[in-house]
Amino acid sequence: MNTQFILDYLSALSANNNREWYHANKDEYKKANAEFEKLLQAFILEIGKFDSSILHNVPKDLTFKIVRDTRFSHDKSPYNPAFRAHISPKGKMPVPVGYYLMIKPGNQSFLGGGLFADMFKDATTMIRDYISRNGKEWERIIHQPDFEKYFTVQGTALKNVPAGYEKEHPQADYLKFKSWYLEYPLKDEEVKNAEIFLVKAVELFQIMKPFNDYLNKALADFQMPAR
């Protein structure tokens, strides 16, 4: 569980973001990826102490590819120099929401939670409806002292309250949102010691759990669109 090795590999990939270097250093990638999967296994066990719904997960099923889809991007670099994972009851699927982790050198790592995806209109409607009916519980969660110490609810939002909801609703500002998520930024210094990082991250994930639970209650009947 060597997070310094992960950072070192990703830093080198960032400086040599081309297929030739990547393939010449494939063994280094495999080592870094193995360290990341060890870290995820530790996360699963520690998060599982307060959220047993994620204990069945296997680390390799939670990760995202570092190969970029460059078809519609001005940036043609082939790799995203980051290791990313989403730990939820249904693995890396965006719903139900869970615990998101990205390790990216240059102080770009972060911990996340909530719904990042704003393209699922049904999910957005379900959460808006739930907030409109359960506003007091929402306020209680996002104004807990520990929550406010570390998190602010973020997300893409409309300029106005959408049709069908009260413009003067107490949670009107949150009804404008199309996604509701949390991010806690991390400096490389906070990530490089795996044991210290694990303890801090698990503490933050536990603080965000009531927020995730609230969204997952709203999304209980959500079905992923058929491809």
Side-chain angles (χ1 to χ4, degrees):
M1 202 168 76
N2 187 339
T3 44
Q4 182 65 65
F5 186 87
I6 293 170
L7 288 168
D8 290 345
Y9 170 76
L10 292 172
S11 294
L13 176 62
S14 182
N16 302 275
N17 200 330
N18 60 75
R19 290 179 178 84
E20 292 75 20
W21 187 92
Y22 173 79
H23 287 292
N25 293 272
K26 195 68 181 286
D27 286 345
E28 295 296 290
Y29 165 75
K30 289 178 180 177
K31 289 177 189 174
N33 190 61
E35 293 299 332
F36 187 59
E37 289 185 1
K38 286 182 198 172
L39 180 67
L40 291 179
Q41 185 58 53
F43 270 117
I44 290 167
L45 294 175
E46 290 302 312
I47 294 169
K49 292 176 182 177
F50 58 82
D51 186 350
S52 61
S53 71
I54 58 89
L55 278 170
H56 63 282
N57 282 301
V58 177
K60 68 181 178 60
D61 297 334
L62 304 175
T63 60
F64 298 89
K65 294 177 181 178
I66 66 169
V67 177
R68 296 180 62 248
D69 183 351
T70 60
R71 289 174 299 172
F72 309 108
S73 175
H74 292 298
D75 179 1
K76 297 301 180 183
S77 53
Y79 306 105
N80 178 11
F83 281 133
R84 301 170 295 144
H86 184 234
I87 308 170
S88 87
K90 290 190 179 177
K92 65 180 179 183
M93 298 290 282
V95 179
V97 305
Y99 311 93
Y100 185 84
L101 163 66
M102 181 171 86
I103 295 181
K104 188 171 187 178
N107 302 318
Q108 297 178 80
S109 303
F110 73 92
L111 307 172
L115 182 72
F116 287 84
D118 61 8
M119 73 286 287
F120 303 122
K121 292 181 180 178
D122 289 350
T124 294
T125 299
M126 286 175 171
I127 293 174
R128 280 185 184 143
D129 288 350
Y130 198 80
I131 292 174
S132 70
R133 296 193 308 266
N134 301 277
K136 288 183 179 178
E137 183 186 356
W138 173 260
E139 293 293 334
R140 189 164 62 248
I141 290 167
I142 67 171
H143 292 304
Q144 285 288 334
D146 278 350
F147 186 95
E148 288 189 312
K149 181 178 177 182
Y150 296 107
F151 302 120
T152 301
V153 181
Q154 302 180 55
T156 51
L158 304 171
K159 288 184 178 179
N160 301 306
V161 176
Y165 301 94
E166 300 170 39
K167 290 183 179 178
E168 304 303 320
H169 191 283
Q171 284 74 49
D173 284 344
Y174 292 108
L175 297 178
K176 296 176 187 176
F177 280 42
K178 296 193 289 181
S179 55
W180 298 257
Y181 61 82
L182 311 174
E183 286 188 2
Y184 182 82
L186 295 160
K187 291 184 167 55
D188 293 351
E189 192 70 23
E190 298 175 274
V191 177
K192 68 178 187 179
N193 183 308
E195 285 72 22
I196 294 173
F197 170 52
L198 179 67
V199 170
K200 177 70 172 179
V202 169
E203 176 192 344
L204 292 170
F205 283 146
Q206 188 164 11
I207 292 168
M208 74 168 63
K209 183 178 183 292
F211 177 83
N212 281 348
D213 289 346
Y214 183 95
L215 296 185
N216 283 333
K217 281 188 283 185
L219 296 166
D221 297 323
F222 177 78
Q223 299 289 324
M224 284 295 290
R227 290 188 175 183

